[in-house]
């Protein structure tokens, strides 16, 4: 077998460049400007010739800074999670940080293990989209001076900024739109709310606002991935309100996908039975005549979460964002046009 390639060292770069080890260290650190242009050029040429790459982890730990931010994602398969992770990663790059993403699969035990891992990596800040109630571990991070931002979901007894959608506004916008379109009865479909403060708030606001608007309303929780229970709930809801214009409001992208499949299974025409979802998904424009959605500004939300962290880590490079709760954008399509 061929020998394993050996990493070149900082000492070898120094020798080839005719420079001191300290100068090479400064070149790859934050003191490059202290070196003359000619010395910088020699070091750059030597590093390129040897294929030298500095060990950023070791450098960070030696200086007490890892230049890493950690992110916990409750479900990486959720389109919302994918979109908002993109916004977080973009912002990390802007500030010169790398991002370590851990997917918990909505499993509190995995969440605890990932938090231990992120602690071992000595992340300088943490963005948490919680799947359980990891308050003890988050308190440990906070006591060590590691700033935390909660994304979309709150965690009981944890004092931290919460960045996310204005859930009350989103539900109000959705129901007012459906009422304006002439729908009189609305079924709300959501994933189980027990582990998500966001789902709890949206469901409670749905019941409140639907009653205020005089809408006939009910709700169904997705108990499994194939939507069997929701299929029965949808059929019963439509049968009970045959004399009314009925619509379904989906609490997130996962619910929208499940309900769209149920519409096809029941051969329900979009529009005659209205369909609307929170979260804009790429395919919503492709299902004729298009599915009306409330789009979340996921990039802005992700960048705001990182900006909050950076304000705690380095106040001189980032101010505290003016707003942490965001308004959705109504994207009206044929599924709510009667």
């Amino acid at each position: 077998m061929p020998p394993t390639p050996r990493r070149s060292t900082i000492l070898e770069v120094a020798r080839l460049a005719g420079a001191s080890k300290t100068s090479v260290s400064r070149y790859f650190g934050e003191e490059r400007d202290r070196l003359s242009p000619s010395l910088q050029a020699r070091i750059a040429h030597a590093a390129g010739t040897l294929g030298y790459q500095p060990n950023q982890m070791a450098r960070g730990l030696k200086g007490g800074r890892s230049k890493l931010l950690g992110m916990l994602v409750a479900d990486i398969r959720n389109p919302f999670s994918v979109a908002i992770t993109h916004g977080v990663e973009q912002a990390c790059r802007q500030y010169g940080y790398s991002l370590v993403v851990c997917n918990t699969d909505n499993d509190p035990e995995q969440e605890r293990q990932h938090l231990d891992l992120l602690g071992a990596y000595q992340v300088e800040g943490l963005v948490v989209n919680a799947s359980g109630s990891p308050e003890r571990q988050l308190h440990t991070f906070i006591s060590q001076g590691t700033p935390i931002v909660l994304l979309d979901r709150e965690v009981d007894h944890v004092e931290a900024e919460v960045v996310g959608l204005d859930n009350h506004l989103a539900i109000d916008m959705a129901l007012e739109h459906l009422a304006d379109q002439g729908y009189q009865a609305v079924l709300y479909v959501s994933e189980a709310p027990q582990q998500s403060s966001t789902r709890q708030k949206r469901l409670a606001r749905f019941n409140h606002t639907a009653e205020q608007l005089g809408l006939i309303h009910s709700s169904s929780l997705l108990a499994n991935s194939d939507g069997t229970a929701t299929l029965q709930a949808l059929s019963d809801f439509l049968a009970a309100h045959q004399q009314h214009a009925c619509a379904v409001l989906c609490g997130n992208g996962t619910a929208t996908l499940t309900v769209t499949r149920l519409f096809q299974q029941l051969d329900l025409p979009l529009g005659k039975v209205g369909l609307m979802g929170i979260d804009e998904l790429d395919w919503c424009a492709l299902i004729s005549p298009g599915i009306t959605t409330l789009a979340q500004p996921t990039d802005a939300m992700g960048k705001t979460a990182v900006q909050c962290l950076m304000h705690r880590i380095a106040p001189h490079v980032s101010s505290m964002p003016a707003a942490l709760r965001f308004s959705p954008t109504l994207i009206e399509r044929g599924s709510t046009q009667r």
Side-chain angles (χ1 to χ4, degrees):
M1 294 179 63
T4 302
R6 184 181 64 84
R7 289 174 62 97
S8 56
T9 67
I10 191 171
L11 184 57
E12 290 170 336
V13 174
R15 287 172 178 165
L16 184 58
S20 69
K21 186 177 175 181
T22 300
S23 294
V24 177
S25 181
R26 283 176 175 166
Y27 177 84
F28 287 104
E30 298 178 354
E31 298 181 308
R32 182 179 297 187
D33 291 344
R34 296 181 60 181
L35 307 176
S36 67
S38 61
L39 182 53
Q40 290 186 41
R42 295 206 314 270
I43 294 173
H45 181 265
T49 300
L50 295 172
Y52 173 76
Q53 292 289 337
N55 187 329
Q56 297 293 356
M57 177 68 74
R59 291 174 62 86
L61 296 179
K62 182 179 178 181
R65 297 186 61 190
S66 65
K67 300 293 284 186
L68 293 175
L69 296 182
M71 182 175 183
L72 277 186
V73 178
D75 182 4
I76 199 66
R77 296 166 299 181
N78 189 310
F80 168 80
S81 299
V82 175
I84 208 152
T85 301
H86 178 261
V88 170
E89 195 278 330
Q90 278 189 317
C92 285
R93 230 181 309 147
Q94 176 187 337
Y95 289 108
Y97 277 68
S98 297
L99 182 67
V100 180
V101 180
C102 295
N103 171 43
T104 67
D105 265 339
N106 283 310
D107 180 352
E109 178 56 34
Q110 282 218 43
E111 186 170 64
R112 286 189 286 270
Q113 293 176 12
H114 285 317
L115 283 170
D116 288 341
L117 174 68
L118 292 171
Y121 274 112
Q122 297 188 26
V123 294
E124 293 186 45
L126 195 56
V127 179
V128 178
N129 175 229
S131 56
S133 299
E135 54 187 90
R136 181 184 61 81
Q137 286 176 290
L138 294 185
H139 281 149
T140 299
F141 278 93
I142 293 171
S143 68
Q144 295 170 348
T146 305
I148 289 174
V149 171
L150 301 177
L151 189 60
D152 185 54
R153 302 175 180 182
E154 299 174 8
V155 177
D156 290 340
H157 312 300
V158 173
E159 294 293 329
E161 284 87 8
V162 182
V163 176
L165 189 69
D166 185 332
N167 293 299
H168 285 183
L169 175 62
I171 293 296
D172 290 352
M173 285 176 61
L175 289 177
E176 287 167 6
H177 171 73
L178 292 173
D180 288 345
Q181 296 299 309
Y183 293 102
Q184 302 156 309
V186 182
L187 175 69
Y188 182 71
V189 178
S190 167
E191 292 180 279
Q194 286 80 1
Q195 293 182 342
S196 170
S197 61
T198 294
R199 295 175 195 164
Q200 293 166 13
K201 289 182 178 180
R202 290 179 186 176
L203 179 57
R205 187 66 176 186
F206 169 80
N207 290 324
H208 169 81
T209 303
E211 187 170 337
Q212 292 290 106
L213 294 175
L215 296 170
I216 300 167
H217 58 283
S218 184
S219 60
S220 174
L221 302 180
L222 294 175
N224 45 46
S225 58
D226 63 6
T228 305
T230 299
L231 175 63
Q232 187 62 52
L234 176 58
S235 299
D236 292 346
F237 187 79
L238 296 176
H241 305 294
Q242 296 182 48
Q243 305 306 314
H244 301 92
C246 295
V248 180
L249 174 60
C250 301
N252 63 12
T254 300
T256 304
L257 177 59
T258 299
V259 172
T260 300
R261 287 172 172 160
L262 298 182
F263 268 56
Q264 294 176 340
Q265 186 175 337
L266 295 172
D267 199 25
L268 295 175
L270 290 173
K272 182 176 181 181
V273 176
L275 177 59
M276 184 174 182
I278 297 175
D279 284 343
E280 167 67 2
L281 307 169
D282 291 341
W283 55 268
C284 286
L286 305 178
I287 304 291
S288 181
I291 297 174
T292 296
T293 61
L294 287 176
Q296 299 195 55
T298 49
D299 267 1
M301 290 160 67
K303 291 175 182 177
T304 296
V306 174
Q307 188 180 348
C308 288
L309 290 182
M310 293 309 302
H311 177 69
R312 305 295 185 197
I313 296 168
H316 61 284
V317 302
S318 177
S319 59
M320 180 58 70
L324 302 180
R325 291 291 181 182
F326 291 80
S327 302
T329 300
L330 175 65
I331 301 177
E332 187 174 351
R333 299 189 178 102
S335 68
T336 56
Q337 294 175 0
R338 295 185 59 225

